[in-house]
């Protein structure tokens, strides 16, 4: 977390809210400007430019030996950025805070960009050939900026196509007792190519934890899951009823339904000869430990048989708009 000084900003000079950036052409061939030149270029008055600096919206500007401000091209770029911020309608105080965040990011940029271990493309752009996207990612590996490449929500055929361009280290797609469409082709292709599978939402976005009896009325109005078909209307109640075997198996193992749901994912990975790294999301440390402990649970053949039909009976798609999922492109 970055601490930001939230001291209220003093009143601006009269024209401080004029949008910076005029039609004046940027002076070429030089990188040192007087405040008057910058004012002409940006359409901001000299008092406004000084005020931007005073409130921290502008980094400290270099001074000449006579104490005059000397602006550089970086400063002009920064003022263009401020203009874009201003165009969003952001209040000046918020702009100051945001600018501070961006500056801190730039300061640590070199440090942060050293190497990204695993760089994912989370959705393929249907308008761009996959080989082109993966080719661009591979370029980052060649430049030493990234170590490994990952994809999300691609079909088995697409994974193979991508792999032919550059080895893919991980495939991240939804996989759980409620969502098994990846077993159609993606899981098999990942196993064959030696790509690790990262099942996201392995707890059915919380549904498989047994937290809901009627999610359509139990979710807060700000919870995005209200937009997901499985959590709404009649689907919500029908899907809760599917969890009966899960509750029974959990009780028999003295475990939670979340743990049984995760143990099932691990079991399926073994069936497919696949390395999996499920990523259940939680805000609680105790649940993190609980979920990790699921790897120690082994389900019996009878238990697996009880769990087998659940996915086929789930009411509602995993997204309201399935067009960007791999399932939509499976043949
Ligand atoms: N690649 C993609 O397109 C994509 C899409 C969606 C999600 N993801 C990633 O997948 C990960 C997890 O997905 P998710 O959070 O949507 O779904 P999830 O892991 O299936 O479910 C998370 C929900 O389960 C609850 N929970 C977790 N452990 C629990 C436990 N032991 N007992 C009871 N409740 C438990 C959490 O509540 P608490 O927080 O209150 O514990 C949270 O509401 C995230 O890292 C997310 O970024 C990736």
């Amino acid at each position: 977390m970055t601490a930001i000084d939230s001291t209220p900003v003093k009143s601006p000079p009269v024209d401080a809210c004029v949008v910076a950036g005029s039609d004046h052409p940027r002076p070429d061939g030089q990188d040192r400007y007087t405040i008057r030149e910058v004012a002409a270029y940006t359409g901001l008055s000299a008092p406004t430019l000084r005020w931007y600096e005073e409130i921290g919206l502008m980094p400290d500007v270099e001074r000449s030996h006579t104490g005059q401000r000397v602006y550089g091209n970086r400063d002009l770029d920064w003022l263009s950025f401020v203009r874009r911020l201003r165009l969003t309608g952001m209040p000046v105080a918020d702009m100051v805070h945001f600018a501070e965040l961006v500056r801190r990011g730039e300061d640590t940029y070199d440090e942060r960009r050293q190497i990204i271990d695993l760089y994912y493309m989370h959705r393929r752009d249907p308008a761009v050939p996959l080989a082109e996207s993966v080719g661009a990612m591979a370029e980052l590996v060649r430049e030493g900026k990234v170590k490994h490449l990952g994809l999300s929500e691609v079909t088995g055929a697409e994974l193979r196509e991508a792999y032919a361009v550059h080895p893919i280290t991980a495939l991240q797609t939804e996989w759980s007792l409620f969502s098994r469409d990846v077993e159609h082709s993606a899981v098999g292709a990942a196993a064959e190519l030696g790509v690790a599978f990262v099942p996201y939402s392995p707890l059915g976005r919380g549904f498989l934890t047994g937290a809901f009896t009627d999610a359509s009325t139990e979710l807060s109005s700000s919870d995005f899951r209200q937009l997901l078909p499985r959590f709404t209307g009649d689907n919500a109640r029908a899907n809760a009823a599917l969890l009966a075997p899960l509750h029974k198996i959990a009780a028999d193992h003295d475990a939670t339904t979340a743990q049984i749901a995760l143990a099932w994912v691990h079991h399926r990975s073994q069936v497919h000869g696949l390395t999996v790294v499920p990523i259940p999301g939680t805000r609680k440390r105790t649940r993190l430990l609980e979920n990790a402990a699921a790897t120690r649970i082994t389900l019996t053949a009878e238990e697996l048989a009880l769990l087998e039909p659940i996915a086929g009976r789930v009411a509602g798609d995993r997204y309201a708009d399935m067009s960007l999922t791999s399932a939509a492109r499976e043949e």
Side-chain angles (χ1 to χ4, degrees):
M1 290 286 278
T2 308
I4 298 295
D5 178 7
S6 57
T7 316
V9 173
K10 281 187 284 172
S11 310
V14 223
D15 70 345
C17 292
V18 171
V19 171
S22 70
D23 291 335
H24 293 277
R26 178 168 167 155
D28 279 332
Q30 65 176 87
D31 66 354
R32 293 171 73 77
Y33 312 97
T34 64
I35 194 165
R36 191 177 293 203
E37 286 170 321
V38 174
Y41 171 65
T42 61
L44 293 167
S45 69
T48 298
L49 288 167
R50 283 194 286 268
W51 180 70
Y52 274 6
E53 210 177 321
E54 190 189 317
I55 63 173
L57 189 52
M58 176 83 204
D60 285 343
V61 176
E62 195 187 319
R63 298 290 200 277
S64 69
H65 66 280
T66 57
Q68 302 300 306
R69 285 176 172 76
V70 182
Y71 292 80
N73 282 328
R74 262 187 88 123
D75 297 317
L76 292 195
D77 290 343
W78 182 262
L79 285 165
S80 296
F81 166 69
V82 170
R83 175 191 60 183
R84 291 200 301 278
L85 275 191
R86 190 71 199 145
L87 287 172
T88 66
M90 190 184 277
V92 173
D94 290 351
M95 283 167 61
V96 172
H97 294 166
F98 189 67
E100 170 67 9
L101 274 180
V102 172
R103 265 205 304 280
R104 285 180 190 209
E106 283 189 346
D107 287 348
T108 57
Y109 182 66
D110 284 342
E111 200 181 308
R112 283 186 299 123
R113 72 188 281 255
Q114 273 177 355
I115 295 180
I116 294 170
D117 288 324
L118 177 59
Y119 183 61
Y120 276 109
M121 177 166 72
H122 268 257
R123 293 291 182 275
R124 70 161 296 187
D125 180 346
V128 179
L130 185 59
E132 194 177 309
S133 302
V134 176
M137 294 166 78
E139 191 59 37
L140 298 174
V141 178
R142 277 190 288 277
E143 288 171 8
K145 294 175 178 166
V146 162
K147 273 193 199 162
H148 305 288
L149 301 185
L151 296 172
S152 180
E153 292 282 0
V154 295
T155 66
E158 290 168 339
L159 182 62
R160 286 194 182 87
E161 186 188 342
Y163 202 97
V165 177
H166 188 279
I168 302 297
T169 300
L171 171 58
Q172 183 180 144
T173 303
E174 186 165 355
W175 193 11
S176 73
L177 270 168
F178 265 14
S179 302
R180 295 181 60 177
D181 50 80
V182 284
E183 293 185 43
H184 185 78
S185 75
V187 158
E192 184 189 306
L193 296 166
V195 174
F197 202 98
V198 179
Y200 79 71
S201 301
L203 300 174
R205 300 184 188 264
F207 218 124
L208 295 163
T209 67
F212 307 107
T213 48
D214 182 356
S216 66
T217 58
E218 291 158 358
L219 290 170
S220 75
S221 58
S222 60
D223 195 313
F224 89 100
R225 289 174 292 186
Q226 284 206 330
L227 303 173
L228 301 177
R230 293 176 177 175
F231 289 79
T232 52
D234 292 343
N235 291 352
R237 287 180 292 279
N239 290 335
L242 295 175
L243 302 189
L246 199 58
H247 285 293
K248 181 185 177 319
I249 296 166
D252 290 348
H253 281 267
D254 197 16
T256 63
T257 58
Q259 288 178 314
I260 301 302
L262 293 170
W264 179 88
V265 172
H266 285 287
H267 164 77
R268 291 304 296 167
S269 73
Q270 284 161 13
V271 169
H272 288 278
L274 188 67
T275 299
V276 288
V277 187
I279 48 169
T282 181
R283 293 160 295 180
K284 300 182 179 67
R285 190 182 294 254
T286 51
R287 287 180 173 172
L288 180 69
L289 299 173
E290 176 189 318
N291 294 343
T295 52
R296 295 202 287 268
I297 297 173
T298 304
L299 299 169
T300 67
E302 294 76 38
E303 289 165 345
L304 291 166
L306 283 173
L307 298 174
E308 185 60 27
I310 292 179
R313 295 178 185 159
V314 171
D317 282 332
R318 48 193 181 94
Y319 286 97
D321 176 2
M322 288 287 284
S323 65
L324 286 178
T325 65
S326 54
R329 298 189 302 276
E330 289 287 5
E331 291 171 0

